[in-house]
Amino acid sequence: PIEYRNVTFPLKSQAHSVQTYYLRFQTESSMYIALNIWSRNAFVESVDGKLLLFGFLYGIVFLATIYCLINAVFLRVRMYLYIAIGIFGSLGYSLSINGFGFQYLWPETLWLQSISVPLFLNLCFCFALLYSREFLDLKQTSPLSDKIILAFSMTCLALGLSSLILSYGTVIRISTVFAIVTAFAAFWAGAISFYGGNKSARFYLLGWMALII
């Protein structure tokens, strides 16, 4: 096999020949199977272009994480720490789902790859909700919403930890459904905060609206 973020292996075939290959796939969850045959040069060009694009995007996200951490340390505001960990979770989720984590960070560690997607997904939502409580000032504007969002956050944390012991299929199904519910709950909390007089909540609502849509 070729060291690449997706399953890739070389094939040798004679020109103008017909060959039959059999592949067997097995997964505990959904799987998107895209079968492509590349020439050596076309494959190298595709890899180089995508590495540049993803490297640029991941670099921006990583810098955003560092920026928020610096603000958390020097300003001593918990809200920045929450959003920093939330961004880190989204970065880890993207690295896992796109295969870059398995290729560069934890190669050959199948167990870590199997837990990384639900773990980082729930880590992202857990601290995004904790950030929401601080940013929207839910303790003042809506104490009931504050308790609900806190409960959702702790549920995300529990789901993330459960990925260490439960099967991937079970955790990812529950996490996917709960992530959708969580997104709508966060949007609902933002709307309550906005109508309660928090004008900054409009930007929060726009962000969650983009995610939901």
Side-chain angles (χ1 to χ4, degrees), residues 64-77:
T65 303
I66 297 301
Y67 173 78
C68 291
L69 280 176
I70 292 174
N71 281 335
V73 171
F74 288 99
L75 299 180
R76 300 186 181 276
V77 178

Side-chain angles (χ1 to χ4, degrees), residues 12-42:
K12 294 182 180 180
S13 60
Q14 300 296 325
H16 308 294
S17 64
V18 178
Q19 295 181 335
T20 302
Y21 299 93
Y22 296 93
L23 302 175
R24 182 175 181 268
F25 301 92
Q26 182 177 353
T27 180
E28 295 183 9
S29 183
S30 61
M31 177 183 290
Y32 173 70
I33 303 173
L35 298 178
N36 298 297
I37 297 179
W38 300 77
S39 67
R40 182 185 299 271
N41 292 336

Side-chain angles (χ1 to χ4, degrees), residues 112-181:
L112 186 55
Q113 176 62 21
S114 67
I115 70 168
S116 60
V117 173
L119 178 63
F120 283 119
L121 173 64
N122 285 290
L123 182 71
C124 173
F125 272 97
C126 172
F127 284 91
L129 291 175
L130 292 176
Y131 165 79
S132 300
R133 294 178 65 227
E134 298 284 337
F135 181 79
L136 298 175
D137 194 20
L138 291 179
K139 287 184 178 180
Q140 299 297 326
T141 57
S142 178
L144 177 61
S145 299
D146 180 68
K147 293 179 181 179
I148 293 175
I149 293 300
L150 179 60
F152 272 64
S153 175
M154 294 301 100
T155 303
C156 287
L157 181 61
L159 284 172
L161 295 176
S162 69
S163 64
L164 301 175
I165 55 177
L166 298 180
S167 67
Y168 172 82
T170 300
V171 177
I172 196 62
R173 289 186 181 94
I174 298 174
S175 298
T176 301
V177 173
F178 194 73
I180 297 173
V181 176

Side-chain angles (χ1 to χ4, degrees), residues 6 22 32 42 44 49 52-53 59 65 95 100 102 104 134 139 150-152 165 172 182 186 189 194 198 211:
N6 296 321
Y22 296 93
Y32 173 70
V44 171
L52 180 62
L53 175 61
T65 303
L95 287 170
F100 288 106
F102 185 68
Y104 294 109
E134 298 284 337
K139 287 184 178 180
L150 179 60
F152 272 64
I165 55 177
I172 196 62
T182 298
F194 176 73
N198 186 354
L211 177 65

